[in-house]
Amino acid sequence: MASSIFWLKHKYKLSGLILILPFVFLYQSLSPSFPPAWPSQQLGEFKIAPMPLDLKAPYKHHDDYVKDFMLIFEQGDVAHIRQGYANIGPEALPLEALQKGENGVLHGSKHGQHVHAITGAKLAATDSLWVSIQNWQGEWLVSQWPIPEAVLVQ
């Protein structure tokens, strides 16, 4: 009897919470916040600033551990890129390893390229972000960004 009275007394609060939650999720989706972009580097005709999409640990995606980045192209035309990849580790992965799957492939628009950078389960202080780009003339361009301390703390 007492639990029935409790339920009757508070069920309208649960209904109100269910009605409010979609607005909370909508607000969170419309106002995302990201960590600051890393310093930009010149890579051939391109000037690129990588920005991690969060400070969380790498996650498993299609059997690989990956960490998501937005690559902001401050200079250069992304139409001049034949193929591009990103990975995190002590060195840039060879092309054969990068072409094994869809992880690590740059994709997006002229405003920014998104990438699921291939990495290990945990980031190490000796790791770097490696961006490898091939232009339509067949030239490979590779650049490296050390992993900042804020990204290592997870």
Side-chain angles (χ1 to χ4, degrees):
M1 180 74 174
S3 68
S4 172
I5 291 173
F6 177 82
W7 172 247
L8 291 174
K9 198 173 181 181
H10 297 289
K11 68 180 178 184
Y12 73 92
K13 293 177 184 173
L14 178 63
S15 299
L17 180 64
I18 291 173
L19 290 174
I20 291 173
L21 284 179
F23 294 105
V24 171
F25 292 128
L26 178 65
Y27 175 76
Q28 288 178 342
S29 337
L30 293 177
S31 57
S33 63
F34 302 104
W38 299 355
S40 58
Q41 290 186 22
Q42 196 73 35
L43 182 62
E45 73 172 277
F46 309 106
K47 189 172 184 179
I48 303 170
M51 180 180 70
L53 296 187
D54 58 40
L55 296 176
K56 297 178 182 173
Y59 65 95
K60 200 146 189 160
H61 181 68
H62 295 283
D63 298 329
D64 289 323
Y65 280 97
V66 297
K67 182 149 184 66
D68 293 340
F69 284 86
M70 173 66 78
L71 299 179
I72 302 163
F73 282 73
E74 298 174 353
Q75 287 178 352
D77 186 354
V78 293
H80 296 166
I81 296 174
R82 181 170 183 256
Q83 57 182 338
Y85 301 94
N87 74 285
I88 298 174
E91 59 188 27
L93 290 175
L95 180 61
E96 297 79 28
L98 293 168
Q99 290 180 331
K100 284 191 334 190
E102 62 189 53
N103 288 329
V105 177
L106 274 62
H107 57 282
S109 70
K110 66 180 181 181
H111 304 291
Q113 294 284 302
H114 178 79
V115 64
H116 304 283
I118 300 169
T119 183
K122 292 200 82 153
L123 300 177
T126 56
D127 288 345
S128 296
L129 171 68
W130 298 88
V131 174
S132 305
I133 292 176
Q134 183 185 36
N135 60 23
W136 287 101
Q137 288 74 40
E139 180 184 14
W140 273 101
L141 308 164
V142 179
S143 191
Q144 162 198 14
W145 285 263
I147 303 292
E149 190 72 30
V151 177
L152 293 173
V153 179
Q154 304 158 14

